[in-house]
Amino acid sequence: MSTFEVLFLFLFLQPIVQATGPCPLSMCGSNSVPIRFPFKLLDQLGQHCGYPGFDLSCNSDRNTVLKLPYSGEFFVRKIDYSMQQIQLYDPDNCLPRRLLHLNLSGSPFASAVSQEYTFLSCPTQFTIKSRFSTIDCLSNSTVSVIATSSPSLADSVSPPCKIISTLQIPVQRPFQYDEGSSADFNLDLPLAWYEPDCVDCETQGGFCGFRSNTSEAIGCFFVPKAGLQHNGLRVFRIICFSIALPAVTCFVAISCFAFLSDSARGSSTRRSNTLTGVVSPQPSIFMVGLDESIIQSYEKVVLGESRRLPGPNGISCPICLSEYCPKETLRCIPECKHCFHADCVDEWLRKSNTCPVCRNSPSLAHDSAANIV
Ligand SMILES: *[C@@H]1O[C@H](CO)[C@@H](O)[C@H](O)[C@H]1NC(C)=O
Ligand SMILES: *[C@@H]1O[C@H](CO)[C@@H](O)[C@H](O)[C@H]1NC(C)=O
Ligand SMILES: *[C@@H]1O[C@H](CO)[C@@H](O)[C@H](O)[C@H]1NC(C)=O
């Protein structure tokens, strides 16, 4: 490691790269949902690891269970820590029955998007003739239960149907009026939480947690060398540093040179000596960019509507810090799989041969194009 790198680490990285979060990751089974702050398993007693209301448990079939104060137990399908969303489902596979009595008070969860639905019970002969799909788990041979998000449709079928209830139902996305029907409830129950707010921390690749055993304050922890260090601030500092260091080196070199030649030869020759001092090759040691053909050989990805990225990547570009939008072109560095806006990373790699996130040097022998170097 060069003196510059030691200086670099000391000055800029030390305060931000902290130890792993204080709490371990847990799971109910090898394929189940990763559980970490603000969630914790109920049996992790005595540990200052979870936020109130975020207790989970495991059942004997290794399902992850969330118990809501007024709505009973749900199984957890998925937890999105950076979007702060949780996806629940009914252990008995009858989500509509649970939705009819859903009461989220006393829990930290709320619906991110909700839509008004009318539940109706109809004579079975009626629904057989109409285009409604029935909610099978609520229906029997004489009564069929349907649900619609269209008030006019609900009006038009009652009678013969009777309105059971009109409710705000949490949905993944809102449906157009005549589009929404019973079938939507075969989906999971999507809920969001807003407190504690760990969105910034998680999208930068950090782990949220209590600062200490006795503190209620939230901190952001970064795991060193796990290829997860998406810290915008860090990237910003690296950029500043890569500009500042050559400038400072240059300035110091000029000053020393000028001072030395001053004392040796007197001030009459200072100007020409200063100019030769500028020609010092020193500053260019620090950042050497990659050849254009190598940059172009790295994989490009066009984002889909889901904006889902492969590998250890967040939802925003670590270089420009703006969120990715559908159809944007990204480029990923093959070794570490970190992705960025293609424009951003191309510009970066022309100036530097390291990944902006993990600082590993991409291999020069990645593609046939690499032979040029
Ligand atoms: C939820 O249940 C609690 C306790 O039974 C009750 O006080 C509250 O009004 C209910 N909320 C709704 C929206 O029904
Ligand atoms: C069907 O369900 C309705 C209400 O849910 C109930 O009143 C009725 O007795 C049930 N009929 C049969 C045959 O189970
Ligand atoms: C925090 O609590 C855990 C479990 O009670 C204990 O093992 C750990 O040493 C504590 N850490 C500090 C810094 O007090």
Side-chain angles (χ1 to χ4, degrees):
M1 196 183 269
S2 75
T3 322
F4 279 143
E5 261 181 295
V6 173
L7 183 74
F8 183 93
L9 283 172
F10 179 76
L11 281 180
F12 293 90
L13 302 185
Q14 211 77 326
I16 303 163
V17 181
Q18 295 174 30
T20 320
C23 295
L25 186 83
S26 36
M27 287 189 187
C28 289
S30 53
N31 283 328
S32 29
V33 189
I35 299 168
R36 56 187 175 83
F37 188 89
F39 293 89
K40 82 167 168 67
L41 282 178
L42 267 174
D43 47 6
Q44 287 177 313
L45 283 176
Q47 277 201 34
H48 192 46
C49 285
Y51 222 69
F54 288 86
D55 286 331
L56 300 175
S57 56
C58 301
N59 72 2
S60 52
D61 293 328
R62 304 196 169 184
N63 289 304
T64 313
V65 182
L66 173 70
K67 189 168 182 197
L68 296 173
Y70 299 115
S71 299
E73 292 187 343
F74 284 88
F75 286 174
V76 179
R77 178 99 61 201
K78 203 178 142 199
I79 299 175
D80 186 330
Y81 288 94
S82 46
M83 301 285 284
Q84 303 209 154
Q85 287 180 359
I86 185 168
Q87 230 166 292
L88 304 175
Y89 64 104
D90 179 32
D92 298 325
N93 286 319
C94 189
L95 190 60
R97 184 184 296 137
R98 307 295 301 276
L99 292 175
L100 280 169
H101 305 288
L102 190 70
N103 177 344
L104 296 173
S105 24
S107 87
F109 305 103
S111 47
V113 184
S114 66
Q115 187 156 25
E116 191 171 85
Y117 274 88
T118 303
F119 287 76
L120 303 120
S121 89
C122 308
T124 296
Q125 303 92 305
F126 172 77
T127 51
I128 287 171
K129 281 181 281 165
S130 68
R131 65 195 181 92
F132 286 107
S133 54
T134 61
I135 301 172
D136 291 337
C137 65
L138 292 179
S139 307
N140 59 25
S141 54
T142 54
V143 175
S144 293
V145 174
I146 60 171
T148 174
S149 61
S150 155
S152 56
L153 203 61
D155 277 349
S156 71
V157 297
S158 65
C161 303
K162 275 193 298 211
I163 293 178
I164 305 172
S165 188
T166 299
L167 300 164
Q168 289 291 336
I169 304 282
V171 289
Q172 208 76 259
R173 61 177 182 91
F175 292 90
Q176 292 305 311
Y177 267 157
D178 45 356
E179 195 192 337
S181 73
S182 318
D184 308 333
F185 303 132
N186 298 330
L187 305 173
D188 294 347
L189 171 61
L191 296 175
W193 72 90
Y194 300 99
E195 186 71 26
D197 184 354
C198 293
V199 172
D200 286 347
C201 175
E202 295 281 341
T203 48
Q204 288 169 9
F207 295 101
C208 218
F210 287 119
R211 288 238 175 94
S212 75
N213 270 5
T214 48
S215 165
E216 295 300 310
I218 305 294
C220 190
F221 299 87
F222 289 87
V223 186
K225 295 195 172 136
L228 285 167
Q229 301 159 15
H230 291 235
N231 192 312
L233 185 61
R234 211 169 70 101
V235 173
F236 177 72
R237 287 182 187 198
I238 293 171
I239 292 170
C240 290
F241 192 60
S242 60
I243 297 165
L245 187 87
V248 169
T249 315
C250 210
F251 180 76
V252 169
I254 292 169
S255 310
C256 289
F257 201 91
F259 178 77
L260 288 174
S261 40
D262 247 12
S263 28
R265 292 177 230 169
S267 56
S268 61
T269 52
R270 183 198 291 176
R271 189 173 172 78
S272 57
N273 279 331
T274 308
L275 285 176
T276 43
V278 178
V279 187
S280 151
Q282 208 139 351
S284 60
I285 296 168
F286 212 68
M287 289 291 177
V288 183
L290 291 181
D291 197 88
E292 192 65 31
S293 59
I294 297 180
I295 300 175
Q296 295 306 328
S297 73
Y298 293 164
E299 184 194 8
K300 269 186 174 177
V301 183
V302 177
L303 277 186
E305 287 299 324
S306 75
R307 300 185 294 164
R308 198 156 293 156
L309 274 172
N313 292 292
I315 59 164
S316 51
C317 171
I319 298 179
C320 68
L321 304 183
S322 53
E323 257 187 47
Y324 296 126
C325 302
K327 303 207 177 67
E328 275 184 326
T329 307
L330 312 190
R331 196 189 291 289
C332 303
I333 295 180
E335 280 78 14
C336 56
K337 310 260 186 296
H338 286 125
C339 302
F340 312 86
H341 284 125
D343 293 345
C344 297
V345 77
D346 290 3
E347 195 60 43
W348 174 279
L349 291 174
R350 279 178 206 126
K351 299 197 181 85
S352 161
N353 61 6
T354 59
C355 168
V357 171
C358 60
R359 296 179 61 243
N360 290 326
S361 299
S363 151
L364 297 181
H366 172 246
D367 211 319
S368 52
N371 298 336
I372 298 165
V373 169

